[in-house]
Amino acid sequence: MTKRLLVVGGVAAGASAAAKARRTNEDVEIVIYEKGPYVSYGNCGIPYYIGGEIPSRDDLFLVTEQRFWGRLRIDVRVNHEVTEIKPDQSTVQVAGPDGSFEDHYDRLILATGAVPLRPPIPGIDSRGIHTLWTIPDGDAILDMVKTLSKDDPVCVVGGGFIGLEIAENLHRRGFQITLVEKMDQVMPPLDREMAYFASEHMRSKGIRVILSDGVSSFEGRDGTVESVVLESGEEIAAALVVLSIGVRPETSLAEKAQLHIGPNNGVEVDSYMRTSDPHIYAAGDMVETNHCSGRCPVRIPLAGPANKQGRIAGHNAAADLHPEEPAKEAFRGVLGTSIVRVFDLTVAATGLNERAAAALDYAVQVSHTISGHHADYYPGAQDMIIKLIADANSGRLLGGQAVGFAGVDKRIDVLATALMADMTPYDLEQLDLAYAPPYSAAKDPIIVAGMVAANVMRGQYRLLTLDDLEDGLDGCQIIDVRRPDEFEQGHLPGAVNYPIDEFRSHIGALDDQKPILLYCAVGQRAYTAYRILQNHGFSNLYSLSGGYELWSGTLGDSGRSENG
Amino acid sequence: MTKRLLVVGGVAAGASAAAKARRTNEDVEIVIYEKGPYVSYGNCGIPYYIGGEIPSRDDLFLVTEQRFWGRLRIDVRVNHEVTEIKPDQSTVQVAGPDGSFEDHYDRLILATGAVPLRPPIPGIDSRGIHTLWTIPDGDAILDMVKTLSKDDPVCVVGGGFIGLEIAENLHRRGFQITLVEKMDQVMPPLDREMAYFASEHMRSKGIRVILSDGVSSFEGRDGTVESVVLESGEEIAAALVVLSIGVRPETSLAEKAQLHIGPNNGVEVDSYMRTSDPHIYAAGDMVETNHCSGRCPVRIPLAGPANKQGRIAGHNAAADLHPEEPAKEAFRGVLGTSIVRVFDLTVAATGLNERAAAALDYAVQVSHTISGHHADYYPGAQDMIIKLIADANSGRLLGGQAVGFAGVDKRIDVLATALMADMTPYDLEQLDLAYAPPYSAAKDPIIVAGMVAANVMRGQYRLLTLDDLEDGLDGCQIIDVRRPDEFEQGHLPGAVNYPIDEFRSHIGALDDQKPILLYCAVGQRAYTAYRILQNHGFSNLYSLSGGYELWSGTLGDSGRSENG
């Protein structure tokens, strides 16, 4: 009898799983049960569709039901919700438009994804408060948008990447946007000093960004939202609220079926994407997998991993049912690599951030470097900042973050590749990356980041971070080695200006009994000064990680004319 | 007595070496002897300066003599040529503007670079024939350019990256350009089918590209070139000739000093960049180092490696002279990663190409994949082609090539990183790369390339290349699985059209005793058809690597609407 493979959920992981299962096994029956009205769409594109950058709604649909059948002989049933799994009987209960029925499976793949959080805040059920996750969510927001006037106030609650994307896209439509975030930063995958560039950039474009403040209630009239009241007491007018404060894994079916749930509330799977029931696989936003640099279980709801997990679950489930038992494939894990465009700025992260690495008890080493995204002598070079997080004990890179106006996506992908290979800063500084003036520099920003991190790791260079500075610099000699005109435009409190090109003449004025903090615009001149002092026998030396540009939160071009 | 470190050559590797040496050792005297009139300039920018993209000549200078002294206490002597090294006496003979003198060294760093080839072709010494390597070369070409009129004929001899860059930049100035290349392709780091896109793109912009033809003589009047006569007999009018047929390492000093020369005519160095004389280091275009994926000695004259080698040579030489003997650093080697912009197209390579891998007797596996550079549903996605070269025995990636209109630099750098980590296609397909619609797709082109190469490596998928096709397809059933409208616009000779969405209905018409070649636009639909047939027991199957787009040499968007 023909074997039967059921897939529950048909958007990202589910669609991938079904397609891959068919390619592995032509003889198995494959059915996708999708609760919602659509399968296989690019939900990451919805904010851009709402903003009008993606002109047509049809563009969002990747594989139609017709193609699933015509090309892949996959039977897609939208508007069919699996309401129960009975593992003992290898059946599911399905509620469809024509009533409820039971279906048998030989293998089951769960890809029920995640659902946006909607906490029980007073007034949350008012009209005009929307989450953004599915096509119907996007349709509802766009319907609402069409009833509004330009300059109407819109409040986006939550500063993760969906919050940032929808804020930008609604701003594009002309609304007055306020973004409210409870943490003291946007973009939680990044550390605060890096995320700062994103929130400041949004502010510079006219979006009001409120940090460290949560929502206490939604107020309105006749059941329609009119304002958002914050924990601080401030009231933000809002004709539309988009709630993007995160998602929770949709595990209710799995839990009812007594599948094991992991420490992050996702379904536990082995590297073959198999749940605790050997006949049931799971993939996508609902599962926990291995964090490749953190080496711990993690649940990261992103499309890239969902796609890969889906394919592997699909292959393995279909291989189980194949008479020739093809070899199974194993999923290695995730880094949580993520990227968001904030107007013309790009903000990206991979691996562990500093907070996460510290929470996992790594001996965290961080470094910040700022370099032009291509050769400084070629027109249009723009500064980019890279943060590296490494384990000082093993040398292994744990994470990377990058912010800038061009070429950020390239550098974060190089870092993600380096993390997958367990590379160290010593590896990064030796990478042979492509250089021609329009694309990079002889010392690519990644090479520069690797050089600095490697110098720190060798014990030849000590950096202070902005967090260290907040702890105070009592008794520290703060030396600004920039040009006098740069110093005049702003400097650290208490700093003395010894420009690098006359630095040696000031050495006698320095007290080698007290700590010395050196800084310049981006760190390169400070490094030269550091080495000069080190060679003169000074040992109580520090350089400011990321220099004045990071401290002041403004990426410029001040580092460029000073290279060398 | 103060130790003395001399650096011979002050452009790329020499400038890096001197600067790094100073940072390692404040107490050593450092002198750069540079034969030419300038130090530390971005010679990779010269073509763009000639074309006017880099507006100011001053932009090309990175570190001035004044800064070398003010900041780094490095004594730069331009127009000083070292004419002899006497290793026994630890001295060099120097010819400067004020005569010749001897100088003593404790350590010497050779960074004499390379010089452009100028073979003894009849007429080669005519006025108007220029090579392009140094600032004076660029000045001379620009002086010449100013005497020409728009539409004057210019001949560029040599289709390496300098040839391509100068051809584009002179075309930008309005001249009629003919590019002549003796090989049957431009851009030798790439394989021919990939380089084809570059030469075709130049042609589409109005540059005449002549392949497989060499120069037999330069003809002219009164010692000024007027035409280039090719081996084929054709005569190309030329008011200016730029000769960019390669460079040779400048090793005459090293040879006279009896330093070991390697199999590629470069100076032999160990991983510390030390020559066969322990007091003499060398770096840059003149040395041979390890090819990281080929694992053989190689001489690759590129700025990125020169810079890294220079720093390592500088550190180690200065460390030798430091009382505390800091740890030496080792150079890992090169991949020859290179990239060139050809108008709006980008062409890039890293590691071994197919020819080089075969010459090293690897069991070469190649695959070509074509994918949009970002999510297909986001406006502006453009096809990019990636070629992977891997060792079928060990699985190790040996090289990668990429051509496309956007995002090529990112993918080649990811591949270069993967090569440095000895990754396999199985690693590539699991990379966790950054995805948001403006930057990438849930399946990045690198992931797609990894998936296909991994399927080949698993033995689940067999590809035919264009070279294989040239050997003939006698008795092969050629099946085009594209839509009928695509088929009508052009197809392989002898192909039959079984569109993928009705493919299963044609299976009965196929003869499983004869080989079957499947293809579509980019390979994705062909893969689906392949798996269907494989599941039906067919085993004599092939798919066309790179599909119809590679075969026809036209990157399009035909693959995109067919994803899934």
Side-chain angles (χ1 to χ4, degrees):
Chain A
M1 209 182 90
T2 308
K3 303 286 187 179
R4 197 163 168 85
L5 172 61
L6 303 185
V7 181
V8 186
V11 180
S16 302
K20 179 70 180 174
R22 170 57 71 225
R23 292 186 177 112
T24 295
N25 192 333
E26 180 77 2
D27 289 327
V28 71
E29 286 175 359
I30 304 177
V31 180
I32 295 176
Y33 288 120
E34 165 57 41
K35 184 169 71 170
Y38 308 107
V39 282
S40 188
Y41 54 86
N43 59 347
C44 303
I46 299 172
Y48 300 92
Y49 166 59
I50 291 172
E53 266 190 86
I54 294 177
S56 162
R57 186 172 178 276
D58 289 343
D59 292 342
L60 296 173
F61 294 97
L62 307 177
V63 186
T64 59
E65 293 173 53
Q66 291 69 30
R67 176 159 299 157
F68 267 118
W69 182 252
R71 187 168 300 180
L72 297 166
R73 292 288 183 274
I74 292 168
D75 182 4
V76 174
R77 310 280 184 87
V78 295
N79 297 314
H80 280 70
E81 180 175 6
V82 172
T83 54
E84 195 183 351
I85 305 165
K86 293 174 188 157
D88 300 346
Q89 300 160 37
S90 292
T91 61
V92 293
Q93 194 66 32
V94 186
D98 304 322
S100 180
F101 59 92
E102 197 177 75
D103 195 1
H104 162 79
Y105 64 81
D106 294 286
R107 286 296 181 280
L108 185 70
I109 299 175
L110 289 178
T112 49
V115 287
L117 293 172
R118 254 190 114 90
I121 299 167
I124 195 161
D125 293 325
S126 310
R127 276 187 301 278
I129 301 178
H130 295 266
T131 53
L132 178 50
W133 195 246
T134 62
I135 292 266
D137 291 344
D139 290 341
I141 292 174
L142 206 51
D143 285 347
M144 181 86 197
V145 157
K146 286 172 184 161
T147 69
L148 300 181
S149 313
K150 286 211 179 208
D151 296 329
D152 266 348
V154 171
C155 184
V156 175
V157 181
F161 58 90
I162 295 175
L164 267 54
E165 286 172 337
I166 194 64
E168 174 180 344
N169 275 289
L170 290 172
H171 178 272
R172 186 185 159 98
R173 285 201 163 257
F175 302 116
Q176 293 296 316
I177 313 288
T178 303
L179 184 130
V180 178
E181 166 58 51
K182 188 156 179 150
M183 283 177 65
D184 57 359
Q185 65 168 84
V186 296
M187 277 298 282
L190 281 82
D191 291 307
R192 189 177 50 156
E193 82 282 10
M194 298 293 287
Y196 175 84
F197 292 96
S199 45
E200 282 303 295
H201 196 63
M202 297 182 84
R203 284 171 176 150
S204 78
K205 299 293 180 181
I207 291 178
R208 184 168 178 218
V209 180
I210 298 174
L211 300 177
S212 307
D213 205 350
V215 175
S216 78
S217 70
F218 297 100
E219 303 294 331
R221 193 159 37 174
D222 303 332
T224 297
V225 72
E226 289 183 332
S227 69
V228 182
V229 178
L230 303 184
E231 287 166 356
S232 63
E234 191 180 354
E235 187 164 352
I236 311 286
L240 164 66
V241 172
V242 181
L243 204 60
S244 54
I245 54 173
V247 296
R248 62 168 177 79
E250 179 46 278
T251 53
S252 47
L253 271 182
E255 286 177 58
K256 274 198 282 182
Q258 312 231 305
L259 303 181
H260 291 185
I261 302 295
N264 302 294
N265 302 318
V267 170
E268 226 174 64
V269 290
D270 64 15
S271 64
Y272 301 113
M273 305 307 299
R274 191 158 49 182
T275 68
S276 52
D277 180 320
H279 293 174
I280 305 178
Y281 291 81
D285 299 349
M286 65 183 299
V287 304
E288 298 191 7
T289 51
N290 171 50
H291 193 289
C292 292
S293 65
R295 298 178 177 175
C296 57
V298 71
R299 184 177 53 75
I300 291 184
L302 287 170
N307 197 290
K308 282 189 268 288
Q309 292 164 1
R311 283 192 291 117
I312 288 172
H315 170 75
N316 291 340
D320 282 348
L321 304 176
H322 197 290
E324 290 167 23
E325 293 184 41
K328 283 205 169 57
E329 292 178 21
F331 183 64
R332 306 255 180 104
V334 299
L335 290 168
T337 310
S338 56
I339 190 165
V340 65
R341 195 191 68 188
V342 180
F343 296 90
D344 47 341
L345 191 74
T346 302
V347 177
T350 184
L352 300 176
N353 60 24
E354 187 178 349
R355 286 173 278 125
L360 289 169
D361 285 331
Y362 283 104
V364 178
Q365 168 189 312
V366 306
S367 53
H368 303 79
T369 45
I370 298 177
S371 354
H373 84 286
H374 63 47
D376 296 333
Y377 61 76
Y378 185 81
Q382 291 179 290
D383 273 358
M384 128 174 9
I385 177 161
I386 293 180
K387 177 176 186 174
L388 294 183
I389 298 103
D391 173 14
N393 291 334
S394 68
R396 193 162 59 86
L397 286 165
L398 299 173
Q401 298 165 37
V403 177
F405 294 93
V408 164
D409 59 328
K410 170 159 76 172
R411 276 65 182 205
I412 211 70
D413 276 359
V414 168
L415 288 176
T417 308
L419 288 178
M420 276 295 194
D422 286 343
M423 280 190 174
T424 67
Y426 307 120
D427 299 315
L428 280 196
E429 65 174 353
Q430 299 245 4
L431 288 178
D432 190 358
L433 302 173
Y435 162 48
Y439 304 100
S440 176
K443 282 188 284 199
D444 189 87
I446 289 289
I447 306 280
V448 174
M451 286 166 56
V452 170
N455 282 335
V456 173
M457 204 156 263
R458 289 185 183 105
Q460 295 170 356
Y461 198 42
R462 281 194 297 187
L463 295 172
L464 285 188
T465 64
L466 301 189
D467 283 351
D468 296 328
L469 258 63
E470 280 180 12
D471 296 341
L473 289 171
D474 288 350
C476 186
Q477 302 163 86
I478 305 175
I479 313 298
D480 184 323
V481 301
R482 295 176 301 163
R483 296 186 312 270
D485 62 299
E486 294 173 272
F487 184 80
E488 286 310 315
Q489 284 170 33
H491 53 257
L492 263 64
V496 176
N497 186 210
Y498 295 164
I500 184 65
D501 287 338
E502 52 182 71
F503 185 75
R504 287 177 181 81
S505 67
H506 294 288
I507 295 175
L510 291 167
D511 181 351
D512 66 359
Q513 301 302 305
K514 288 186 195 160
I516 297 172
L517 173 64
L518 298 155
Y519 76 91
C520 60
V522 301
Q524 201 166 7
R525 286 171 283 177
Y527 175 65
T528 297
Y530 191 105
R531 299 292 279 171
I532 291 171
L533 291 180
Q534 210 168 28
N535 270 297
H536 277 83
F538 286 76
S539 61
N540 205 350
L541 298 173
Y542 298 90
S543 179
L544 179 61
S545 192
Y548 189 77
E549 286 197 12
L550 179 60
W551 187 82
S552 63
T554 46
L555 290 178
D557 64 354
S558 46
R560 284 207 285 285
S561 60
E562 296 297 328
N563 280 337
Chain B
M1 210 183 87
T2 309
K3 302 286 188 181
R4 196 161 168 86
L5 172 62
L6 302 186
V7 180
V8 185
V11 179
S16 302
K20 180 67 181 178
R22 171 56 72 225
R23 291 186 177 112
T24 295
N25 191 335
E26 180 78 1
D27 289 327
V28 72
E29 286 174 0
I30 303 177
V31 180
I32 295 177
Y33 287 121
E34 165 57 40
K35 183 169 71 168
Y38 307 108
V39 284
S40 188
Y41 54 86
N43 60 348
C44 302
I46 298 173
Y48 300 92
Y49 166 59
I50 291 172
E53 266 190 86
I54 294 178
S56 163
R57 187 171 177 277
D58 289 345
D59 291 342
L60 296 174
F61 295 97
L62 307 176
V63 186
T64 60
E65 294 172 52
Q66 291 70 30
R67 176 160 296 155
F68 266 118
W69 181 252
R71 187 169 299 180
L72 296 166
R73 291 290 183 273
I74 291 168
D75 183 4
V76 174
R77 309 279 185 88
V78 296
N79 298 315
H80 280 69
E81 180 175 6
V82 171
T83 54
E84 194 183 353
I85 306 166
K86 294 176 188 157
D88 299 347
Q89 300 160 38
S90 290
T91 61
V92 293
Q93 194 66 31
V94 186
D98 304 323
S100 179
F101 59 93
E102 197 177 75
D103 195 2
H104 162 80
Y105 64 80
D106 293 287
R107 287 294 182 280
L108 185 69
I109 298 175
L110 288 178
T112 49
V115 286
L117 293 174
R118 252 189 115 90
I121 299 168
I124 196 161
D125 293 325
S126 311
R127 277 187 300 276
I129 301 179
H130 294 266
T131 53
L132 178 51
W133 195 246
T134 62
I135 292 268
D137 291 345
D139 290 342
I141 292 175
L142 206 51
D143 285 347
M144 181 85 198
V145 157
K146 286 172 185 160
T147 69
L148 300 182
S149 312
K150 285 210 181 207
D151 295 330
D152 267 348
V154 171
C155 183
V156 174
V157 181
F161 57 90
I162 295 176
L164 267 54
E165 285 173 338
I166 194 64
E168 174 180 346
N169 276 288
L170 290 173
H171 178 273
R172 187 185 159 99
R173 283 199 165 259
F175 302 116
Q176 293 298 316
I177 313 289
T178 303
L179 184 130
V180 178
E181 165 58 50
K182 190 159 175 145
M183 282 178 65
D184 58 356
Q185 65 168 84
V186 296
M187 277 298 282
L190 281 82
D191 291 307
R192 190 177 49 156
E193 80 282 10
M194 298 294 285
Y196 175 85
F197 292 96
S199 45
E200 283 303 296
H201 197 61
M202 295 181 85
R203 285 173 176 151
S204 78
K205 298 293 180 180
I207 291 177
R208 182 165 178 222
V209 180
I210 298 174
L211 300 177
S212 306
D213 206 351
V215 176
S216 76
S217 70
F218 298 100
E219 304 295 331
R221 193 159 39 175
D222 304 332
T224 298
V225 72
E226 289 183 333
S227 69
V228 182
V229 178
L230 303 184
E231 288 166 356
S232 63
E234 190 178 356
E235 187 165 353
I236 312 286
L240 165 66
V241 173
V242 181
L243 203 60
S244 54
I245 54 174
V247 295
R248 62 170 175 78
E250 180 45 279
T251 54
S252 47
L253 270 181
E255 287 177 57
K256 274 198 282 184
Q258 311 231 304
L259 302 181
H260 291 185
I261 302 295
N264 301 294
N265 302 319
V267 170
E268 227 175 64
V269 290
D270 64 14
S271 64
Y272 300 113
M273 304 309 299
R274 191 159 48 181
T275 68
S276 52
D277 181 320
H279 293 174
I280 305 179
Y281 290 79
D285 298 349
M286 64 183 300
V287 304
E288 298 190 7
T289 51
N290 170 51
H291 194 290
C292 293
S293 65
R295 299 179 177 173
C296 58
V298 72
R299 183 176 54 76
I300 291 184
L302 288 171
N307 196 291
K308 283 188 269 285
Q309 292 164 0
R311 283 192 290 117
I312 288 172
H315 170 76
N316 291 340
D320 282 347
L321 304 176
H322 197 291
E324 291 170 21
E325 293 184 40
K328 284 207 169 53
E329 292 179 20
F331 182 63
R332 306 252 181 106
V334 300
L335 291 168
T337 311
S338 57
I339 189 165
V340 65
R341 194 192 67 189
V342 180
F343 296 90
D344 48 340
L345 190 74
T346 301
V347 177
T350 184
L352 300 177
N353 61 25
E354 186 178 349
R355 285 174 280 126
L360 289 169
D361 285 330
Y362 282 104
V364 178
Q365 170 189 314
V366 305
S367 52
H368 304 79
T369 44
I370 298 178
S371 355
H373 85 285
H374 64 47
D376 296 332
Y377 60 77
Y378 185 81
Q382 292 179 290
D383 273 357
M384 130 174 6
I385 177 160
I386 293 179
K387 176 175 186 173
L388 294 184
I389 297 104
D391 173 14
N393 292 334
S394 68
R396 193 162 59 87
L397 287 166
L398 300 173
Q401 298 164 37
V403 176
F405 294 94
V408 165
D409 59 328
K410 170 159 78 172
R411 276 65 183 205
I412 212 70
D413 276 0
V414 168
L415 288 176
T417 308
L419 288 178
M420 277 294 195
D422 287 342
M423 280 189 174
T424 67
Y426 307 120
D427 298 316
L428 280 196
E429 67 175 351
Q430 298 246 3
L431 288 177
D432 190 358
L433 302 173
Y435 163 49
Y439 304 100
S440 176
K443 281 189 283 198
D444 188 86
I446 289 288
I447 306 279
V448 174
M451 285 165 55
V452 170
N455 282 335
V456 174
M457 204 157 264
R458 287 183 186 106
Q460 294 171 357
Y461 198 42
R462 281 194 298 186
L463 295 173
L464 285 189
T465 64
L466 301 189
D467 283 349
D468 295 328
L469 257 61
E470 281 181 11
D471 296 340
L473 290 171
D474 289 348
C476 187
Q477 303 163 86
I478 305 175
I479 313 298
D480 183 323
V481 301
R482 295 176 302 164
R483 296 185 313 268
D485 62 300
E486 294 172 274
F487 184 80
E488 286 310 315
Q489 285 170 33
H491 53 260
L492 264 64
V496 176
N497 187 209
Y498 295 164
I500 184 64
D501 287 339
E502 52 183 71
F503 185 77
R504 286 176 181 82
S505 67
H506 294 288
I507 295 174
L510 291 166
D511 181 350
D512 65 359
Q513 301 302 306
K514 289 187 195 161
I516 298 172
L517 173 64
L518 299 156
Y519 76 91
C520 61
V522 301
Q524 201 166 6
R525 287 171 284 176
Y527 175 65
T528 297
Y530 192 106
R531 299 292 279 171
I532 291 171
L533 290 180
Q534 210 169 27
N535 269 296
H536 278 83
F538 287 75
S539 61
N540 205 351
L541 299 173
Y542 299 91
S543 180
L544 180 61
S545 192
Y548 188 77
E549 287 198 11
L550 179 60
W551 187 83
S552 63
T554 46
L555 290 177
D557 64 354
S558 46
R560 283 207 285 286
S561 60
E562 295 299 326
N563 279 338

